[in-house]
Amino acid sequence: MVGVDRIYVAFDIETTGLDPDRDAIIEIGAVRFKDHTPLATWESLVNPQRPIPYKITLLTGITQEDANSAPSLTALLSPLCDFVRDYPVVGHNIGFDLSFLRRHGVLTHNLALDTFELASILVPKASRYNLDVLASKLGITLPVRHRALADALAAKDLFLALRDLAMEMDFDALQEINRIGVRADWPLRFFFSDIARERARGAFSGASIRRQLVAKGELDDAAMGLVLGDRIRERPLEPRVPPEPVDVEALASMLSPGGLMEREFPGYEHREQQVEMLRLVGRAFNEGQQLLVEAGTGTGKSIAYLIPAIYFAVQNNEHVVISTNTINLQDQLYNKDIPDLQRILPLDFRATLLKGRGNYLCLRRFALFRRQATLSPTEIQVLAKVLAWLPTTDTGDRAELMLVKDEPVVWNQLQAEADLCLGDHCPHRIEGRCFFARARRRAEAAHLIIVNHALLLSDMVTENRVLPEYRYLIVDEAHHLEDQATEQLSFSVDEVGLRALLSALSSDAGRHGFFAEIPVHFRASSVEPAVQRQLGSLLDQMRGEVDRASTALTELFEHLGLFLDEQTEKSEGETYDRQIRLNSAIRIQPDWSDVEMLWGNLDVPLSRLERGLSNLYEGFTSLADADILDYDVLLQDTLSYLRRITEIRESMNAILAEPDEQGIYWASISTTDNSITLHAAPLHVGEVLRKNLFDKRRCVILTSATLRTGEDFRYLRERLSLQEAEEAAVGSPFDYLSSTLLYLPTDIPEPGQQYYQKKVEQTLIELCRAIGGRTLVLFTSYGQLNECYRAISRPLEEAGIVVYAQGIDGSRRQLLDNFKSTPKAVLLGTRSFWEGIDVVGEALSCLVIVRLPFSVPTDPIFAARSEGFEDPFREYSVPETVLRFRQGFGRLIRSRTDRGVVVVLDKRLQSKSYGPTFLKSLPECTLRRGTLAELPSLAAEWINNRDLVLPSEKIFAEEDDRWMY
């Protein structure tokens, strides 16, 4: 059905939007082809009988006038079906196209082959999977984009290129995909079965990639022979004692005028602030300091800490761990900065990227998963991706795979997990095939180990079970460390999750689950029959406890739901989960005692299960020589279930019955299905970080562009328990006074006051019209973002300005790409856009901060921590918000040549006594206060006239008592 002699129809549509229930088709294009020969084409514009959004016209070139004279979709369905017939249809994200047509009852039975899904299998490690990127990677020319026939022709060429790649696949992997694919209604099974038949004819079955690699000694003869051999030969580092200091001034000279960086990088700009930071970091390494160093935007802080870290690590044979919060910064360090330095520095050093276990494929779990009797189409899709990827991956890192929709859930069943790891007893580790063990060996031999905060903190909790022993630590993006520590030390459980765990132990009257599998391990063992009968009796008892726990679980969550409903009122149109703190005020309610009683009813069978699993584990450990089938697997699975039951029971007991004074406890109720999740988090993380992370290192450097609130580090010191750390603030090399106009409207109402939202909308329309878009608008809630989007889109489109909105117009990356590439564009974003985005140049010339980013006062963690301050608003809420505000402000100026306007539409910055704290935390800008009416023309003049200089107003007048605390 899908062989080289088949006829296919490549197909594409253009639409007014992304929702098949609300949007309409405006163009259809199709090409019928056989092998590389086009047989016929068909195309037509379609009258959508509704307005075409301006952004669609801009994207496709299709105007309203073009579409109005076109036939209706109803008139085109019959000729379209005549053209397509019953041939398989091919397209990029073909499901999207067919969703518009199948609503009209056409093409419902045609086999659909998605080139996106095929590419995600056959082109692992691609940077992106849109049509443009894949076409470029595979040598396909795209003369026109976003027209239906042109995209259909491109989809044809992409399909043929992918088919050629499939013909070159490892034959064993291809056969395994075939074997698995026939088990479910997986559309691509026909494609791979035809490829396998073609290969079996002999034309392509000679020297497969796998066989070539085997011949070169680069493949292990196991795991289907698909795993690259372990080529790591470096020895673990053995530190020099005592450490030898680096020559800080010699390192500083590399960044000085005429130094190494200037010689090696054309256009390199000397920055005194970068040299200053390098000296600070170098001295911290030499003297074993804790150092807080804030480095303004444009400092080049990564190079400033990498150079001394590299030289100190190599000179002393030490590991330096560098932790980041975002993937973007991690990628920049590992894929750009470090390779650049490896190329130019006159010394050899090794660097590696180490991730948490869940990022690595576990070959043992993968083999078990492949043997399952029934698999869903999604599970088969993931297995096909892994099978095609294995012969090419050296890391086993899931980041090299494109996992979409529900596929990450499937990955969870394949990933490495500490509780399920057989350790040194695993044959894959023994033979050097274990991907996580390989990554750990690379880390043991590396001078620089790049990690993220989550892994850094997970390693802290597990007492260095992931990272090799290290004494030197750099924490970049350190302003996120408290939040990440809170997340790592938190716990949550819901009824569905706990019931799934119970079902995994025993389900269907004890016929399935872990307890039912245990006797299978003993069938051919030398364990005496009497002992096996005792085991059977214990398992029967534990099955009974699972049944009792399941009943008690239902009763507990049913009653808890009724209790929580009485404590809160559900609002009409509510979009956020309700959160109820389980504090003393809640626990003294009369009905809470029933919750505690019902928890006790659940705790009893859980306790018995815990003891039973403990007894099983102890008993199994004494039977190592009894020829038990998969003994190590049985032992590890038992320990894993024991740990999970123990953690859940202890945490739920703290949440519902015996709360700790240092804990925060709450319940959340889902707006979608009213399901309840119980949560626990630590009240303070600073002392945990100090004792278990900072104090155990000889040198710790924490850096970020935003560490100070106002003009000092007091807030962050207190949150992270870093009272003894040295501190330094390295300013930005950017001239904000001449590049940045900070405008504060004097006549806008405060948030929540009458006409505030109306004024925001009017201001955005007039401002963006005046400067031709080029604006990023930062919100603190999706609700206000959506309201503004509805109000400003049409007026701005009439002025030729496109409005893109988070949650409406695609992914974060798509939004940024569209914003950068569209000459007149406005981008509306919420919390994730306040940091980590980098738009250099005129595409971003204006930044609007709609509201100050205060935390929601009712957030359980924020509310609980606020109670620890005498003046929680000024001592906790304001400093926390200042850091977020500074991050948002930092989105505008990203290079020396950038110029723009920052507008803050929150009057509280001027009317409240905390205003100067925010303003003084910013670099020195040209500050102007004025009316909303004055803003558009002044902003346009500032942006368009780079020579314009304005006098800057003072942050506050000395005699103005409003600003005094």
Side-chain angles (χ1 to χ4, degrees), residues 20 35 61 133 160 246 342 360 415 499 588 648 685 772 789 844 899 932:
D35 198 15
V133 172
L160 293 170
V246 294
Q342 285 175 323
Y360 298 99
Q415 68 188 23
R499 194 172 301 283
I588 63 172
I648 288 175
V685 298
Y789 179 76
L844 175 50
R899 181 178 173 93
L932 292 170

Side-chain angles (χ1 to χ4, degrees), residues 742-928:
L742 175 61
Y743 194 88
L744 306 180
T746 55
D747 57 347
I748 189 169
E750 290 188 12
Q753 290 183 343
Q754 192 175 18
Y755 305 122
Y756 167 71
Q757 179 63 23
K758 189 73 173 176
K759 288 288 187 182
V760 169
E761 294 163 2
Q762 291 174 345
T763 300
L764 291 176
I765 292 169
E766 297 304 321
L767 174 63
C768 294
R769 278 176 177 163
I771 61 177
R774 299 186 285 176
T775 301
L776 170 64
V777 188
L778 296 177
F779 295 86
T780 58
S781 74
Y782 278 107
Q784 189 179 20
L785 181 152
N786 291 331
E787 202 172 339
C788 283
Y789 179 76
R790 290 190 294 268
I792 73 174
S793 294
R794 182 59 61 85
L796 290 180
E797 286 182 358
E798 291 171 355
I801 299 168
V802 184
V803 182
Y804 298 108
Q806 184 180 359
I808 297 174
D809 294 308
S811 68
R812 189 173 188 265
R813 175 180 271 185
Q814 290 171 327
L815 288 170
L816 285 170
D817 286 348
N818 290 336
F819 179 64
K820 292 176 183 178
S821 61
T822 305
K824 294 183 176 182
V826 176
L827 175 57
L828 313 183
T830 55
R831 187 61 61 84
S832 65
F833 280 81
W834 283 72
E835 60 180 293
I837 65 171
D838 197 6
V839 182
V840 178
E842 294 184 357
L844 175 50
S845 297
C846 181
L847 172 73
V848 179
I849 295 176
V850 177
R851 296 182 66 156
L852 298 177
F854 283 103
S855 290
V856 178
T858 55
D859 176 80
I861 293 176
F862 177 82
R865 289 178 176 170
S866 295
E867 294 169 358
F869 295 88
E870 290 186 10
D871 186 348
F873 182 74
R874 292 194 184 280
E875 295 176 31
Y876 182 46
S877 182
V878 168
E880 178 192 58
T881 310
V882 165
L883 292 179
R884 293 189 192 132
F885 177 72
R886 294 183 64 199
Q887 282 289 333
F889 176 89
R891 295 315 95 210
L892 181 67
I893 304 299
R894 306 302 297 174
S895 75
R896 288 181 186 271
T897 58
D898 281 355
R899 181 178 173 93
V901 179
V902 177
V903 182
V904 183
L905 297 180
D906 194 328
K907 183 67 175 296
R908 294 174 296 179
L909 203 57
Q910 304 174 72
S911 63
K912 302 299 183 184
S913 60
Y914 52 77
T917 303
F918 285 83
L919 296 176
K920 288 191 292 185
S921 72
L922 301 177
E924 186 180 1
C925 311
T926 296
L927 171 64
R928 295 299 294 267

Side-chain angles (χ1 to χ4, degrees), residues 224-458:
M224 295 182 57
L226 294 175
V227 179
L228 284 167
D230 186 8
R231 291 171 288 182
I232 300 300
R233 296 291 181 264
E234 294 92 347
R235 298 180 55 159
L237 299 183
E238 296 181 7
R240 177 196 295 268
V241 180
E244 179 182 325
V246 294
D247 185 339
V248 174
E249 291 308 312
L251 300 183
S253 69
M254 294 181 181
L255 305 181
S256 300
L260 179 68
M261 297 295 283
E262 185 176 285
R263 295 196 303 270
E264 294 291 337
F265 293 106
Y268 173 78
E269 295 178 344
H270 167 69
R271 289 161 282 187
E272 188 55 46
Q273 296 86 350
Q274 187 180 48
V275 179
E276 181 185 352
M277 180 172 173
L278 181 147
R279 288 191 174 103
L280 289 166
V281 172
R283 285 196 290 269
F285 274 105
N286 287 344
E287 298 169 16
Q289 295 176 342
Q290 291 182 354
L291 172 66
L292 286 165
V293 55
E294 180 179 280
T297 304
T299 300
K301 60 180 168 56
S302 58
I303 297 298
Y305 63 65
L306 281 173
I307 289 176
I310 290 166
Y311 273 83
F312 189 90
V314 172
Q315 192 166 294
N316 293 288
N317 232 25
E318 289 275 6
H319 301 296
V320 177
V321 171
I322 302 173
S323 180
T324 76
N325 186 63
T326 61
I327 293 175
N328 286 345
L329 179 55
Q330 199 173 68
D331 288 344
Q332 176 194 314
L333 291 172
Y334 191 66
N335 297 319
K336 183 182 182 302
D337 295 341
I338 290 174
D340 283 346
L341 292 174
Q342 285 175 323
R343 179 175 59 84
I344 68 168
L345 292 180
L347 80 169
D348 293 326
F349 69 94
R350 295 183 295 277
T352 192
L353 181 64
L354 185 60
K355 300 183 178 182
R357 284 177 177 269
N359 291 279
Y360 298 99
L361 177 72
C362 172
L363 291 169
R364 183 179 71 84
R365 298 187 75 195
F366 173 61
L368 292 172
F369 193 79
R370 284 193 297 113
R371 293 203 292 265
Q372 290 185 175
T374 57
L375 293 167
S376 70
T378 301
E379 291 171 331
I380 292 174
Q381 179 82 3
V382 173
L383 287 179
K385 290 182 179 183
V386 173
L387 285 164
W389 164 66
L390 272 177
T392 69
T393 181
D394 188 45
T395 66
D397 182 354
R398 64 160 286 179
E400 297 175 354
L401 292 171
M402 181 63 172
L403 300 177
V404 297
K405 298 178 182 176
D406 295 331
E407 291 175 357
V409 177
V410 179
W411 175 266
N412 292 342
Q413 302 176 65
L414 307 176
Q415 68 188 23
E417 286 189 7
D419 285 350
L420 300 175
C421 180
L422 300 183
D424 293 336
H425 299 287
C426 177
H428 297 291
R429 176 173 289 192
I430 294 169
E431 298 298 326
R433 296 186 298 269
C434 172
F435 289 117
F436 177 71
R438 289 184 185 184
R440 175 66 187 255
R441 284 199 299 275
R442 289 189 182 95
E444 289 171 345
H447 299 101
L448 301 186
I449 305 172
I450 313 300
V451 301
N452 63 16
H453 293 352
L455 178 60
L456 176 74
L457 296 162
S458 174

Side-chain angles (χ1 to χ4, degrees), residues 26-150:
I26 57 175
E27 188 177 38
I28 303 174
V31 54
R32 192 187 306 146
F33 66 99
K34 182 178 180 180
D35 198 15
H36 288 269
T37 305
L39 303 177
T41 60
W42 188 94
E43 65 176 322
S44 178
L45 290 171
V46 183
N47 188 338
Q49 301 177 341
R50 70 189 67 191
I52 298 177
Y54 175 70
K55 70 181 71 172
I56 299 300
T57 295
L58 197 67
L59 183 70
T60 64
I62 300 171
T63 66
Q64 192 71 52
E65 292 72 21
D66 295 333
N68 286 343
S69 59
S72 68
L73 179 62
T74 303
L76 293 169
L77 292 178
S78 180
L80 174 64
C81 290
D82 289 342
F83 182 84
V84 177
R85 303 181 196 172
D86 62 350
Y87 297 128
V89 291
V90 173
H92 204 62
N93 282 317
I94 189 68
F96 171 82
D97 301 57
L98 292 177
S99 66
F100 279 82
L101 288 170
R102 286 177 173 172
R103 292 181 64 245
H104 300 276
V106 297
L107 307 187
T108 55
H109 300 297
N110 295 70
L111 174 67
L113 299 172
D114 190 345
T115 53
F116 174 90
E117 292 185 355
L118 273 174
S120 68
I121 295 171
L122 297 168
V123 193
K125 305 182 187 179
S127 60
R128 299 177 66 179
Y129 287 83
N130 59 21
L131 191 55
D132 301 57
V133 172
L134 288 169
S136 175
K137 185 175 180 67
L138 297 176
I140 298 168
T141 302
L142 292 179
V144 180
R145 281 291 284 119
H146 302 299
R147 292 304 298 260
L149 182 57

Side-chain angles (χ1 to χ4, degrees), residues 602-670:
L602 174 58
D603 186 38
V604 170
L606 289 181
S607 298
R608 291 172 179 163
L609 281 172
E610 183 181 356
R611 286 197 299 273
L613 286 164
S614 179
N615 291 337
L616 282 178
Y617 182 75
E618 290 179 8
F620 292 160
T621 56
S622 65
L623 300 174
D625 299 322
D627 298 320
I628 296 172
L629 177 66
D630 292 333
Y631 172 76
D632 292 325
V633 175
L634 175 64
L635 201 64
Q636 193 62 38
D637 286 350
T638 306
L639 181 60
S640 174
Y641 282 117
L642 172 59
R643 287 172 174 169
R644 290 161 69 186
I645 288 287
T646 300
E647 180 191 24
I648 288 175
R649 195 183 71 79
E650 290 178 351
S651 298
M652 288 187 70
N653 190 61
I655 295 170
L656 298 175
E658 299 179 13
D660 189 301
E661 289 184 358
Q662 296 303 309
I664 305 169
Y665 307 100
W666 73 99
S668 60
I669 305 174
S670 170

Side-chain angles (χ1 to χ4, degrees), residues 519 529-544 616:
V531 174
Q532 294 195 44
R533 285 193 295 272
Q534 290 177 352
L535 173 63
S537 176
L538 176 58
L539 292 175
D540 286 340
Q541 294 174 25
M542 294 175 73
R543 291 188 188 99
L616 282 178

